[in-house]
Amino acid sequence: MNELSELKVNILQLLKEDARRSSDLIATLLGVGEEEVRVAIKELEDDHVIVKYATVVNWSKVEEEKVTALIEVQITPERGRGFDSIAERIYLFPQVKSVYLMSGAYDLLVEVEGKHLREVASFVSDKLSPLEAVLSTKTHFILKKYKQDGIIFEEHEEDHRLAISP
Amino acid sequence: MVNQSVKAENPTGMKHYINPLVRSIPPSGIRKFFDLVSGSKDIITLGVGEPDFCTPWHVREACVYSLERGMTKYTSNAGIPELREEIGQYLNDSFHVEYNPANEIMVTVGGSEAIDLALRALVNPGDEILIPEPSYISYSPIISIGGGVPVGIETTAKDEFKLTAEALQAAITPKSKVLILCFPSNPTGGTMTYEDYLPIAKIAQENDLIVISDEIYAELTYDQKHVSFASLPGMKDRTILVSGFSKAFAMTGWRMGYACGHRDLIDAMLKIHQYTVMCAPVMGQIAALEALKNGKEEKDRMVESYNMRRRLVVKGFREIGLDCHEPQGAFYAFPSIESTGLSSEAFAERLLFEGKVAAVPGNVFGKGGEGFIRCSYATSVAQLTEAIERMGKIVAKIKHEM
């Protein structure tokens, strides 16, 4: 892991806020040349520091609602490969949205998304639990997302400042 | 109904009851423009003189907790001792000025009250009060109510809206008593460095001036560190340092400010303060204490965010053909609209009605303001980008008509 330049850190912050910002706008905001920003972004992409530009969607706003569950998974680590190989077997399923190795009472925290409860439940019973290394699972369904990745899902508060003030 | 009965008793209205000094204060130009803007729909406003951030949550939370604990009583007139100590520590750490929390620091209802108190404590009828302009609009009326005479000193874009020794010297008469400094400046974004201040301090000394230094924007400086006028050699006793929490910590609605100065001056101000407001609201004081203790990180984040937007608007204004000096502080840009051939007011009105962008015409800020508009960049990047685009169209249209 190499240390990032201040410019790159600033670029990452600006893109994290809004990934659609152009390199021209970022250059203006940071007071540097556009070329410099373009090169830095290219390097960040090549080094896989910038992994992807994705959109944060509030699915509860649309008809086609999704069900998300967080599943605590206890596993027996595999000799020589620790938790990694079993984690890989789990994260390769497309319905798995995230997998974290955790300290504490369980080992993996798995986020699974499905169209409805049944779909998630059958994923757990048919795919996850039967894995040899999996000792136990505990499924928690998410009822409402308030904030994700630092982004608050509720509508923005209106600007209630006076339009003109001294 | 009420109005009718009043009219019946006083066919000439009630105005003759009003103190002539109050009656003769001209209506604020900002107020007039506010009324125009209030009637308009779908506008983007660059007219706002306050941060677009909400007060950081830890500050709000500290206040809520204090209310839950029942901290709802008067505090000592000068403010809770812990807050005064924290203010003293903060001023010393940040600007190298040392004040004794016991008798040289008082907490006020916004920086505004501190300015009012200072002027009321100092101004005698006939005293001339020097104000570098374009300037924040509240000084002159308060001076006039006390029978003082506000004397504007023009600063110019050529000098980056700094106060020069020559301009100050030229405005001084035997009646000059107080110099008001407001740097970083609302509305110009101009700042003063230590070297800029040295000759000003010399003139203050030679002419025995008291200086009210309104440093409310001290935290909002870019590419340079704020210099407090009180930190100049020999100036501490001559200076009433006024500041507050509104701009640095996004706390405008809390009305929390403070004044620091020689104990004789603070004593006099405290006398007025204790008979008028007793003390600043305790919940605001608790919040201010939290802001000073734990608010540095959020404050720095906000300042960096203003700095980015500053670069955006200055570049934007220049690209659409408006001269714009680079503001070094506060969150205002003060572009010149001279190239459009219109007065500030005419331009601001066309910008509002045709471009749906509100900005404050520069003439309301006094001498040297004509030919400019004040644009606050404490607004989202998306809004600023849109506003500049709209302004560009209006500027092009006006120039096309010429």
Side-chain angles (χ1 to χ4, degrees), chain A residues 113-126:
Chain A
E113 202 175 76
K115 285 198 195 71
H116 35 69
L117 282 178
R118 242 176 325 114
E119 197 179 285
V120 175
S122 70
F123 171 80
V124 176
S125 59
D126 299 349

Side-chain angles (χ1 to χ4, degrees), chain A residues 28-31 161 163-166, chain B residues 45 49-50 186 311 315 374 378:
Chain A
T28 305
L29 292 174
L30 296 177
R161 298 179 295 168
I164 300 280
S165 53
Chain B
T45 178
E50 60 180 321
N186 171 11
R311 297 183 185 116
K315 181 163 175 262
R374 188 193 74 175

Side-chain angles (χ1 to χ4, degrees), chain A residues 10 13-14 21 24-25 27-32 157 159-166, chain B residues 30 33-34 37 45 47-52 136-137 186 308 311-312 315 374 378-379:
Chain A
N10 289 336
Q13 271 163 357
L14 286 173
R21 284 176 173 158
D24 185 33
L25 175 62
T28 305
L29 292 174
L30 296 177
V32 296
E157 259 186 47
D159 188 349
H160 35 223
R161 298 179 295 168
L162 298 173
I164 300 280
S165 53
Chain B
I30 257 189
F33 204 69
F34 176 83
V37 171
T45 178
V48 186
E50 60 180 321
D52 59 334
Y136 178 58
I137 58 169
N186 171 11
M308 288 185 195
R311 297 183 185 116
L312 177 71
K315 181 163 175 262
R374 188 193 74 175
T379 287

Side-chain angles (χ1 to χ4, degrees), chain B residues 129-136 139-140 143 150-154 163 178-181:
Chain B
I129 315 301
L130 304 157
I131 312 169
E133 292 180 344
S135 155
Y136 178 58
Y139 308 126
S140 296
I143 292 164
V151 176
I153 306 173
E154 184 171 341
L163 175 63
V178 176
L179 168 64
I180 297 181
L181 295 172

Side-chain angles (χ1 to χ4, degrees), chain B residues 123-129 146-149 175-176:
Chain B
V123 175
N124 278 312
D127 286 346
E128 291 182 356
I129 315 301
V149 181
K175 289 184 176 166
S176 304

Side-chain angles (χ1 to χ4, degrees), chain B residues 245-312:
Chain B
F245 298 86
S246 294
K247 317 293 174 171
F249 299 100
M251 291 178 68
T252 44
W254 298 80
R255 311 310 304 122
M256 289 303 304
Y258 52 89
C260 309
H262 190 281
R263 63 177 297 177
D264 293 349
L265 302 177
I266 294 296
D267 259 0
M269 291 167 64
L270 206 48
K271 216 177 341 180
I272 309 172
H273 177 77
Q274 74 183 353
Y275 290 125
T276 49
V277 306
M278 186 80 99
C279 65
V282 60
M283 49 280 259
Q285 294 193 51
I286 302 281
L289 182 59
E290 171 65 21
L292 280 183
K293 274 184 160 167
N294 299 311
K296 188 177 181 307
E297 206 174 303
E298 291 255 4
K299 181 207 72 196
D300 290 345
R301 191 177 57 77
M302 292 191 275
V303 174
E304 192 40 46
S305 164
Y306 294 131
N307 194 6
M308 288 185 195
R309 292 178 274 175
R310 177 182 71 111
R311 297 183 185 116
L312 177 71

